[in-house]
Amino acid sequence: MQTAELRARFASAPVARLATVRPDGAPHVVPIVFALDGDTVYSAVDAKPKRSRQLQRLANLRAEPRCALLADHYEDDWDRLWWVRADGRGEVVEQPAGHPGIRALVERFPRYRDEPPSGPLLVVTVERWSGWASTS
């Protein structure tokens, strides 16, 4: 697949899985909602219930910015399966008010229109796109 198709498939997914590395080297994977703008993926700490706003994924990225995001499509018709992986480097924007990533998230998710995310913003700059789609 060409990069444009990989981006389009990725952007069509309702969620992605973010893989980071814990300080002890162990993997850490969580589902996230996101917005894609070119080669930049945005996700934010929002008002959904959490034990803390100091999430493990943020601590992981502060210590080791390399990360991967995986979006996929599954259905019983295996001729329609696909996945896309975005490998890149993440950073945490602590005070994201007015950041274009917040605007992108608000544009994509109607629930954010009334209450935009105010917590830290995760910004992943994608360095490599890869993927697979069924060819059957």
Side-chain angles (χ1 to χ4, degrees), residues 17-40:
R17 283 87 182 154
L18 170 67
T20 59
V21 180
R22 290 177 178 269
D24 67 0
H28 181 256
V29 181
V30 293
I32 63 166
V33 296
F34 67 92
L36 177 65
D37 183 12
D39 287 325
T40 305

Side-chain angles (χ1 to χ4, degrees), residues 27-90:
H28 181 256
V29 181
V30 293
I32 63 166
V33 296
F34 67 92
L36 177 65
D37 183 12
D39 287 325
T40 305
V41 179
Y42 301 108
S43 183
V45 177
D46 57 27
K48 288 191 299 290
K50 298 167 184 61
R51 280 184 266 154
S52 165
R53 290 173 67 94
Q54 299 303 314
L55 302 179
Q56 185 66 50
R57 69 191 87 159
L58 303 176
N60 294 348
L61 287 169
R62 288 182 190 109
E64 170 55 76
R66 291 178 298 172
C67 61
L69 292 143
L70 180 70
D72 64 296
H73 175 78
Y74 178 84
E75 60 183 81
D76 289 336
D77 179 354
W78 286 8
D79 290 339
R80 299 174 53 100
L81 305 179
W82 60 263
W83 60 263
V84 175
R85 193 178 74 221
D87 298 323
R89 300 183 74 78

